[in-house]
Amino acid sequence: MLRNLFLDQEKRLKEHFKPGVQGIDLQLQDRVMKISRSEFFQFSPFWIKSNERALYPVTWVRTNSVSHPLRHNPEKNTLLYKRYIYEIDKTIAFRVIDPDKDLTVFSQWHNSKRVSVYWELEGSIDQHRKYIEKNLDDPHLIPVIMEIDSEPAGYFEFYWVKEDRLGPYYDSDDYDRGFHFLIGNRKFLGIKNTDAVLKCVVHYLFLDDPRTLKVMAEPRWDNQKVLQYVDSFPVWRRIKVFDFPHKRAVLLECTRERLFAGEHL
């Protein structure tokens, strides 16, 4: 019943829950139902745009001697998430990258000095196609194009931490998620856009699988723009500074409870 109620009231609820609005009372035939902001933003059919994934029974497999659940990733060009953001008056969407559609802009972004200083993926079109195809074939990672108002704006890699290189550096759980990102289109830079984008990222990752309780990040320790942002957003915590073989990084943690219990979305 609750699911049908939410679906029937989608337009009204989305119009009602503007920034700062905490709840709504819905008059039913026999009672009044109170819906909180937290409940509204946790209702995945409003935001997850691919076919709603049933929870697969868990089958454990091993990757590089690490035991983890078997992953089931979407096909290329699948629309994953879409949401209108009142604060910036723009719609943000994530879809799985399609090399036939996105290769040119992906290559342009990675060959720009602003991006390559952190990603170190300068190269030819052919090299970038191989990189994308390798990621599409990697079951622990979803390579994603972010669009803002239907225009390509950035590239993201959403990954399962347990079998990722990050997994051994803390006590990781089976459904922890992580991400790397770049905003390639300069017109969408700026703190307001970045804030909206990163809130959508953690929103999507928690809704994609309800067993995910933590989203982790590991930016370079000297990436001050990212670190200043996370220090201003109270859902994130700095856990520690640590050394990968290729970089010194800061381990960051966002929990499901901190995100949904506050007024952050």
Side-chain angles (χ1 to χ4, degrees), residues 69-80:
L70 181 67
R71 311 302 185 185
H72 302 270
N73 282 351
E75 297 294 323
K76 62 183 179 182
N77 209 37
T78 299
L79 180 61
L80 302 175

Side-chain angles (χ1 to χ4, degrees), residues 25-80:
D25 292 342
L26 293 181
Q27 181 65 55
L28 307 182
Q29 288 184 341
D30 58 343
R31 61 194 172 101
V32 173
M33 174 169 282
K34 295 181 179 295
I35 298 175
S36 70
R37 187 177 187 86
S38 175
E39 291 170 317
F40 167 70
F41 278 107
Q42 288 184 76
F43 188 65
S44 61
F46 285 170
W47 324 105
I48 300 290
K49 296 306 176 182
S50 56
N51 290 331
E52 213 179 336
R53 289 199 289 170
L55 290 182
Y56 290 90
V58 181
T59 301
W60 280 272
V61 296
R62 297 188 74 83
T63 301
N64 298 325
S65 300
V66 175
S67 176
H68 61 87
L70 181 67
R71 311 302 185 185
H72 302 270
N73 282 351
E75 297 294 323
K76 62 183 179 182
N77 209 37
T78 299
L79 180 61
L80 302 175

Side-chain angles (χ1 to χ4, degrees), residues 115-161:
V115 170
S116 65
V117 68
Y118 293 108
W119 280 74
E120 300 178 348
L121 283 179
E122 307 98 319
S124 67
I125 285 283
D126 286 342
Q127 288 172 319
H128 288 148
R129 178 181 288 275
K130 289 177 181 177
Y131 179 84
I132 292 170
E133 290 176 346
K134 175 177 68 71
N135 284 346
L136 285 168
D137 289 337
D138 185 341
H140 103 287
L141 185 150
I142 305 177
V144 169
I145 290 292
M146 175 186 68
E147 295 180 338
I148 298 181
D149 287 345
S150 300
E151 184 175 353
Y155 173 70
F156 287 71
E157 293 175 355
F158 300 146
Y159 62 86
W160 300 98
V161 172

Side-chain angles (χ1 to χ4, degrees), residues 104-116 145-146 152-155 182-186:
T104 298
V105 71
F106 177 92
S107 190
Q108 290 172 349
W109 289 342
H110 280 284
N111 284 326
S112 71
K113 290 183 179 180
R114 179 178 60 83
V115 170
S116 65
I145 290 292
M146 175 186 68
Y155 173 70
L182 68 90
I183 297 177
N185 191 328
R186 285 183 173 273

Side-chain angles (χ1 to χ4, degrees), residues 84 89-93 147-151 188:
Y84 172 74
D89 190 26
K90 295 179 176 68
T91 297
I92 293 175
E147 295 180 338
I148 298 181
D149 287 345
S150 300
E151 184 175 353
F188 297 119

Side-chain angles (χ1 to χ4, degrees), residues 2 16 29 44 84 125 162 169 177 203 239 251 265:
L2 184 59
H16 177 82
Q29 288 184 341
S44 61
Y84 172 74
I125 285 283
K162 194 68 179 289
Y169 287 89
R177 299 296 286 269
H203 190 205
I239 304 301
L251 182 64
L265 296 170

Side-chain angles (χ1 to χ4, degrees), residues 113-239:
K113 290 183 179 180
R114 179 178 60 83
V115 170
S116 65
V117 68
Y118 293 108
W119 280 74
E120 300 178 348
L121 283 179
E122 307 98 319
S124 67
I125 285 283
D126 286 342
Q127 288 172 319
H128 288 148
R129 178 181 288 275
K130 289 177 181 177
Y131 179 84
I132 292 170
E133 290 176 346
K134 175 177 68 71
N135 284 346
L136 285 168
D137 289 337
D138 185 341
H140 103 287
L141 185 150
I142 305 177
V144 169
I145 290 292
M146 175 186 68
E147 295 180 338
I148 298 181
D149 287 345
S150 300
E151 184 175 353
Y155 173 70
F156 287 71
E157 293 175 355
F158 300 146
Y159 62 86
W160 300 98
V161 172
K162 194 68 179 289
E163 60 269 37
D164 187 77
R165 66 189 180 190
L166 177 59
Y169 287 89
Y170 77 104
D171 188 16
S172 56
D173 293 324
D174 281 346
Y175 292 95
D176 288 359
R177 299 296 286 269
F179 66 97
H180 305 291
F181 81 101
L182 68 90
I183 297 177
N185 191 328
R186 285 183 173 273
K187 70 186 282 187
F188 297 119
L189 294 174
I191 188 62
K192 288 186 178 180
N193 287 330
T194 300
D195 179 63
V197 166
L198 293 182
K199 286 177 179 177
C200 286
V201 169
V202 290
H203 190 205
Y204 166 72
L205 291 175
F206 283 124
L207 293 185
D208 185 50
D209 194 312
R211 294 168 293 194
T212 296
L213 301 180
K214 290 182 291 185
V215 173
M216 311 300 291
E218 30 90 344
R220 263 175 39 172
W221 70 278
D222 59 348
N223 192 336
Q224 292 304 312
K225 288 184 178 179
V226 169
L227 293 174
Q228 286 173 4
Y229 167 76
V230 299
D231 286 342
S232 70
F233 189 17
V235 302
W236 288 99
R237 297 285 187 273
R238 294 196 192 204
I239 304 301

